[in-house]
C-alpha cells in the first residue's frame, strides 16, 4: 500500500496556497471531526442577505492557521523565543478553535446544546483528539485554555487582535462583497511583537490597528447584525424551540437521529462523550433537511416558520435607537392572535422584540497595546489621534421588533 502524501496543499481564494506544516496538522484536518466543518456555515444565515456568504468554518480554520504560520515566522525573526512544541501548539489551537461550532455557527449556539458555548465544545473535541493522538495536543490545549505560562501564545489565539479575527474579517468581507471590512492581515502581522510576555503592536502599526477596528465596526452593523440576518436567526431559534416542545410532548418529527437526540435532550443533562459523538454528527444539512420536511407538518407554527426560512419570506423587522413601544408590540400580537388563531402563549413565535449591541473595542476585556519607540506601552485608544477610535470603546445598543408583514 502506497504511503499517503502528508504535504497536502489547499488553494484558498484569500491567501493563495495554504500548506499543511506537519503530519499532525495533516491528520487533524483529515479527521472526521474537522471535516465536519465543511458542512458548517461560517456566517449562519447571512447568505439570505449576501448571496456569496456560503463559506464554511473549514475555510476559516485553515485561513486562521495560515496567518498563525506567518505570525510565528515574524515573531521568530524578531528574536521571540518559541520552541517547536509551542509552535505546533499554536497551529493546532488555532486550527481547532472553532471545531465546536454547531449548525449555522452562532445562529443556534446555546440553543441545541443549552448553556454551553462553542469554545467549551471545541475544548471537548480537542481533549478527545488528544487521547486519539496520544497527548500530541497537550500544549495546544494549555494555550487554548490560557494556562500556558507564555501569555502571548493564548493572545495569538484568543484576544482582540488574534489570528481568528484577522482571518474572519478579511474572509467575511471577501465573501459578502462588503469592502469596508477588508483589512491587510499580513500588514498587521508584520507589526506584531512580544514585550514583557504580552502580545503588542509596534508603533508604526497603529494606523493598521485603527483600520482593523473601524472595519470590525462596519462588519458588525452592516453584516453580522444586519436586520434580515437577525430576524432569520431569531426565527430559526424559535423553530427549534417549537420542534423541541413538540418532540418532548410525544410528537414524531421527521429529521436526522442526531437532531432528534438534541431535541429530546434536557439541557441540564451532562455533556458526556456520547453527547459529543452525537454533536459531531450534527451540521447544517440536518437543519435544512428538517426544514424541508417540517414545512408540510400539521403544526401551524412549525410549518409556517419552516416555509418562511426556506422561501426567505421572513417577518418584518424594525430597528430603533430607543426601546420599542409596548403598545405597538401588543397591537401586532392582537393581529396575530386573530389572524393566525393562536393562543397567547404562542404569539411570541411571530411577534417579539429584543436588543442588539456592539463594542468594536473593549478596553476592559483586554487591551491592544502599542509599543512606543521608548519601550513604553500605550493603549491604542489613547495612542491614536483618530477621534472616532475612542467612540469605538463605547457600547452601542439598538432595539428591534419583529412581526408578520401582513399585519403592516
Amino acid at each position: 500500500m502506497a504511503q499517503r502524501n502528508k504535504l497536502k496543499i489547499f488553494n484558498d481564494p484569500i491567501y493563495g496556497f495554504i500548506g499543511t506544516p506537519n503530519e499532525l496538522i495533516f491528520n487533524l484536518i483529515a479527521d472526521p471531526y474537522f471535516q465536519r466543518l465543511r458542512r458548517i456555515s461560517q456566517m449562519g444565515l447571512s447568505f439570505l442577505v449576501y448571496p456569496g456568504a456560503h463559506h464554511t468554518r473549514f475555510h476559516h480554520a485553515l485561513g486562521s492557521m495560515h496567518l498563525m504560520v506567518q505570525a510565528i515566522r515574524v515573531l521568530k525573526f524578531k528574536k521571540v523565543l518559541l520552541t517547536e512544541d509551542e509552535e505546533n501548539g499554536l497551529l493546532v489551537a488555532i486550527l481547532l478553535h472553532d471545531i465546536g461550532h454547531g449548525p449555522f455557527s452562532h445562529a443556534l449556539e446555546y440553543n441545541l446544546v443549552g448553556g454551553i458555548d462553542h469554545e467549551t465544545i471545541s475544548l471537548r473535541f480537542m481533549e478527545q483528539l488528544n487521547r486519539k493522538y496520544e497527548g500530541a495536543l497537550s500544549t495546544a490545549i494549555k494555550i487554548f485554555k490560557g494556562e500556558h505560562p507564555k501569555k502571548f501564545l493564548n493572545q495569538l489565539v484568543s484576544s482582540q487582535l488574534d489570528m481568528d479575527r484577522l482571518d474572519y474579517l478579511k474572509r467575511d468581507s471577501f465573501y459578502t462583497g462588503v469592502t469596508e471590512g477588508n483589512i491587510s492581515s499580513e500588514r498587521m502581522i508584520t507589526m506584531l511583537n512580544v514585550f514583557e510576555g504580552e502580545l503588542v503592536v509596534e508603533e508604526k502599526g497603529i494606523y493598521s490597528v485603527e483600520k482593523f477596528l473601524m472595519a470590525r465596526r462596519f462588519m458588525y452593523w452592516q453584516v453580522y447584525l444586519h436586520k434580515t440576518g437577525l430576524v432569520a436567526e431569531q426565527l430559526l431559534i424559535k423553530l427549534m424551540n417549537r420542534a423541541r416542545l413538540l418532540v418532548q410532548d410525544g410528537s414524531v418529527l421527521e429529521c436526522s437521529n442526531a437532531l432528534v437526540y438534541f431535541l429530546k435532550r434536557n439541557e441540564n443533562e451532562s455533556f458526556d462523550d456520547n453527547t459529543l459523538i452525537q454533536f459531531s454528527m450534527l451540521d447544517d444539512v440536518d437543519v435544512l433537511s428538517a426544514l424541508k420536511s417540517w414545512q408540510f407538518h400539521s403544526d401551524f407554527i412549525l410549518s409556517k416558520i419552516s416555509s418562511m426560512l426556506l422561501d426567505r419570506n421572513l417577518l418584518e423587522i424594525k430597528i430603533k435607537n430607543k426601546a420599542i413601544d409596548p403598545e405597538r408590540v401588543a397591537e401586532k400580537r392582537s393581529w396575530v392572535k386573530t389572524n393566525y388563531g393562536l393562543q397567547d402563549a404562542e404569539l411570541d413565535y411571530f411577534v417579539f422584540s429584543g436588543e442588539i449591541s456592539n463594542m468594536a473595542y473593549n478596553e476592559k476585556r483586554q487591551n491592544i497595546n502599542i509599543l512606543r519607540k521608548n519601550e513604553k506601552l500605550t493603549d491604542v485608544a489613547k495612542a491614536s489621534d483618530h477621534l472616532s477610535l475612542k467612540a469605538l470603546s463605547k457600547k452601542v445598543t439598538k432595539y428591534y421588533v419583529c412581526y408578520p408583514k401582513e399585519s403592516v
Side-chain angles (χ1 to χ4, degrees):
M1 184 177 177
Q3 186 173 2
R4 196 175 182 189
N5 178 17
K6 300 290 186 181
L7 295 174
K8 193 171 182 65
I9 292 175
F10 298 91
N11 194 349
D12 183 71
I14 310 295
Y15 310 118
F17 293 116
I18 296 177
T20 48
N22 54 55
E23 188 171 333
L24 175 62
I25 294 294
F26 176 93
N27 290 335
L28 289 172
I29 292 173
D31 195 276
Y33 285 165
F34 190 82
Q35 287 294 313
R36 167 184 162 274
L37 296 183
R38 292 183 185 270
R39 305 185 300 278
I40 302 288
S41 172
Q42 166 77 7
M43 294 180 61
L45 295 170
S46 291
F47 62 85
L48 293 175
V49 184
Y50 300 99
H54 278 288
H55 54 304
T56 67
R57 288 282 157 184
F58 185 88
H59 294 113
H60 167 57
L62 290 180
S64 299
M65 183 194 70
H66 173 73
L67 293 183
M68 188 66 82
V69 170
Q70 293 186 341
I72 290 170
R73 187 182 300 125
V74 166
L75 293 178
K76 289 179 71 176
F77 179 78
K78 295 178 181 179
K79 310 302 181 186
V80 176
L81 293 178
L82 282 167
T83 67
E84 184 178 346
D85 182 54
E86 289 165 351
E87 287 182 39
N88 286 335
L90 281 171
L91 295 177
V92 170
I94 197 66
L95 180 72
L96 303 181
H97 77 282
D98 273 346
I99 198 171
H101 266 297
F104 295 106
S105 294
H106 293 289
L108 289 175
E109 189 164 5
Y110 302 108
N111 181 272
L112 289 176
V113 186
I116 301 178
D117 58 29
H118 76 273
E119 289 96 346
T120 301
I121 301 175
S122 290
L123 180 60
R124 294 297 303 273
F125 274 123
M126 292 170 73
E127 290 169 343
Q128 190 84 288
L129 288 166
N130 196 35
R131 290 192 287 271
K132 180 176 180 179
Y133 293 102
E134 300 176 341
L137 282 72
S138 296
T139 300
I141 290 172
K142 281 185 181 178
I143 293 172
F144 185 78
K145 292 170 70 175
E147 294 178 352
H148 196 283
K150 292 184 178 180
K151 189 175 180 181
F152 74 90
L153 298 180
N154 174 261
Q155 291 171 335
L156 284 165
V157 175
S158 179
S159 67
Q160 293 205 78
L161 195 61
D162 54 31
M163 299 308 106
D164 171 30
R165 293 187 185 198
L166 290 183
D167 180 79
Y168 78 61
L169 281 177
K170 192 174 185 69
R171 187 169 301 278
D172 296 350
S173 168
F174 176 86
Y175 279 99
T176 58
V178 178
T179 56
E180 292 91 341
N182 191 21
I183 60 169
S184 176
S185 48
E186 293 84 354
R187 164 78 178 165
M188 287 287 299
I189 288 171
T190 60
M191 297 297 107
L192 295 178
N193 209 332
V194 174
F195 182 74
E196 296 181 348
E198 302 260 356
L199 190 67
V200 297
V201 179
E202 294 168 354
E203 188 172 5
K204 57 188 174 181
I206 188 170
Y207 296 114
S208 296
V209 178
E210 288 178 0
K211 171 107 172 30
F212 162 76
L213 292 174
M214 292 298 291
R216 191 163 183 267
R217 176 180 178 273
F218 275 121
M219 288 296 285
Y220 266 88
W221 288 120
Q222 198 169 333
V223 178
Y224 304 131
L225 296 175
H226 188 285
K227 65 177 187 177
T228 303
L230 174 62
V231 69
E233 293 190 357
Q234 289 299 312
L235 280 172
L236 184 58
I237 290 169
K238 290 182 179 298
L239 178 75
M240 288 301 153
N241 289 341
R242 183 63 176 182
R244 181 177 292 108
L245 181 65
L246 293 172
V247 165
Q248 294 183 359
D249 279 349
S251 295
V252 177
L253 298 187
E254 189 175 332
C255 58
S256 69
N257 292 335
L259 186 52
V260 168
Y261 176 89
F262 286 99
L263 292 177
K264 287 183 176 180
R265 181 177 178 271
N266 189 314
E267 69 175 53
N268 295 322
E269 292 179 37
S270 62
F271 195 95
D272 56 19
D273 287 346
N274 178 55
T275 306
L276 186 70
I277 291 170
Q278 293 293 333
F279 189 84
S280 73
M281 293 186 279
L282 199 60
D283 55 52
D284 293 9
V285 179
D286 297 78
V287 174
L288 287 172
S289 177
L291 291 181
K292 292 177 72 175
S293 173
W294 294 349
Q295 67 180 318
F296 304 112
H297 197 274
S298 58
D299 181 77
F300 172 79
I301 296 171
L302 193 74
S303 63
K304 181 72 172 176
I305 298 179
S306 295
S307 297
M308 282 179 163
L309 289 167
L310 288 171
D311 301 335
R312 199 190 178 277
N313 184 20
L314 307 170
L315 297 173
E316 184 75 20
I317 177 170
K318 298 292 183 184
I319 295 183
K320 306 287 184 181
N321 291 323
K322 58 182 181 180
I324 303 300
D325 182 358
E327 288 187 12
R328 179 169 183 157
V329 176
E331 178 187 315
K332 298 301 179 183
R333 286 171 65 88
S334 178
W335 185 94
V336 168
K337 184 174 182 178
T338 302
N339 290 271
Y340 286 0
L342 300 178
Q343 302 297 317
D344 287 344
E346 299 172 329
L347 300 180
D348 287 341
Y349 287 106
F350 297 102
V351 182
F352 50 89
S353 59
E355 62 181 59
I356 50 176
S357 61
N358 177 242
M359 186 188 297
Y361 176 54
N362 188 347
E363 294 175 274
K364 295 178 181 178
R365 180 176 179 266
Q366 192 178 71
N367 298 68
I368 296 178
N369 282 320
I370 303 299
L371 180 62
R372 298 292 195 181
K373 290 176 182 176
N374 61 2
E375 294 197 334
K376 299 287 186 182
L377 293 180
T378 309
D379 184 274
V380 66
K382 296 181 177 66
S384 171
D385 56 9
H386 202 305
L387 294 176
S388 64
L389 203 58
K390 293 179 178 62
L392 296 184
S393 301
K394 296 179 180 177
K395 186 177 182 180
V396 177
T397 301
K398 297 184 180 182
Y399 305 87
Y400 67 87
V401 60
C402 303
Y403 48 83
K405 292 177 180 176
E406 308 97 289
S407 67
V408 176

